Amino acid sequence: GEDVEQSLFLSVREGDSSVINCTYTDSSSTYLYWYKQEPGAGLQLLTYIFSNMDMKQDQRLTVLLNKKDKHLSLRIADTQTGDSAIYFCAATDSWGKLQFGAGTQVVVTP
Amino acid sequence: EAGVAQSPRYKIIEKRQSVAFWCNPISGHATLYWYQQILGQGPKLLIQFQNNGVVDDSQLPKDRFSAERLKGVDSTLKIQPAKLEDSAVYLCASSSRTTSTDTQYFGPGTRLTVL
């Protein structure tokens, strides 16, 4: 089955760029997602990328997909304190089910 | 457009008690999901409904968990009897399946503490 892995923690200074990395195992994954979870809240969809794309940009967010290496990254430009949260990578498995990583806690320091 | 609604937001019970969670998906969304999110982990799918039928309940501990979506809209998830290891956030999500992305939208979750 699909296995999604992420680094657990990232500390970044306000104004710098953040890069969160994710790897997945199922080469048939069709869609890959990034969700944001703030304390006490549900998951907020940030962006997604289709597997036939290698990059998608949406305002401060850039998603890069290396399908050969099964590697996904999320870059947040000009990181703000409001970006402090847990970020989840998720990939559809061969059954179409969404498999989540354990989440990367991003802490933005002034 | 209103988002996915869940209640209650928090629940504290003792082990062996029963508990029920309610979810109202985004209007028009045919597919509804219940996830369990244990602290420090990503969400894990428990059950998926398409309208009022179960599509996937392979990860649902059926000896104690049950879920229903009788009219194809609201859904309830029940745990009876609860165990300590059921302490988690229970997330409901819905999707429209009208686009190829089938993007899931999540509610705020119910945080369950079993003592």
Side-chain angles (χ1 to χ4, degrees):
Chain A
E2 176 82 276
D3 189 21
V4 179
E5 300 213 348
Q6 307 175 234
S7 51
L8 294 182
F9 185 80
L10 176 68
S11 179
V12 62
R13 284 188 188 273
E14 192 174 10
D16 287 352
S17 292
S18 314
V19 179
I20 308 166
N21 294 300
C22 170
T23 58
Y24 60 98
T25 56
D26 190 338
S27 57
S28 66
S29 291
T30 311
Y31 288 95
L32 299 117
Y33 298 83
W34 285 103
Y35 283 87
K36 176 183 180 183
Q37 187 174 39
E38 296 182 82
L43 274 69
Q44 173 197 350
L45 176 67
L46 285 179
T47 188
Y48 65 89
I49 190 167
F50 186 48
S51 58
N52 70 351
M53 298 168 66
D54 52 19
M55 187 183 95
K56 181 178 180 181
Q57 190 154 0
D58 184 0
Q59 299 182 334
R60 292 191 297 122
L61 305 178
T62 303
V63 180
L64 294 178
L65 174 62
N66 181 329
K67 200 174 175 187
K68 175 176 166 288
D69 294 338
K70 301 192 199 67
H71 181 267
L72 183 73
S73 67
L74 174 69
R75 179 177 179 269
I76 306 172
D78 186 26
T79 310
Q80 304 297 307
T81 54
D83 295 324
S84 291
I86 300 176
Y87 291 79
F88 289 94
C89 169
T92 50
D93 66 14
S94 52
W95 299 95
K97 239 191 303 193
L98 207 52
Q99 300 291 343
F100 287 85
T104 299
Q105 173 137 28
V106 173
V107 173
V108 182
T109 56
Chain B
E1 179 184 74
V4 177
Q6 290 188 247
S7 68
R9 291 296 313 277
Y10 305 92
K11 191 75 179 176
I12 300 174
I13 61 172
E14 295 190 348
K15 60 183 179 184
R16 291 188 288 273
Q17 285 188 320
S18 303
V19 65
F21 314 126
W22 173 82
C23 172
N24 182 243
I26 292 172
S27 177
H29 278 196
T31 309
L32 185 147
Y33 312 80
W34 282 103
Y35 287 85
Q36 180 192 58
Q37 185 181 17
I38 292 171
L39 188 65
Q41 299 180 19
K44 183 188 84 172
L45 181 68
L46 291 175
I47 188 167
Q48 177 185 342
F49 291 95
Q50 179 76 15
N51 296 308
N52 60 350
V54 175
V55 172
D56 182 355
D57 63 357
S58 57
Q59 303 272 48
L60 188 74
K62 297 181 190 63
D63 57 335
R64 296 183 302 106
F65 286 64
S66 64
E68 60 183 14
R69 194 183 184 203
L70 292 174
K71 295 181 181 177
V73 181
D74 295 7
S75 176
T76 55
L77 176 69
K78 296 178 182 176
I79 308 175
Q80 179 179 12
K83 292 186 174 182
L84 296 176
E85 59 261 36
D86 298 332
S87 292
V89 175
Y90 290 85
L91 295 164
C92 179
S94 69
S95 66
S96 68
R97 283 200 179 253
T98 58
T99 69
S100 57
T101 61
D102 191 25
T103 299
Q104 297 181 30
Y105 296 90
F106 284 79
T110 297
R111 183 176 297 275
L112 173 67
T113 303
V114 182
L115 303 175

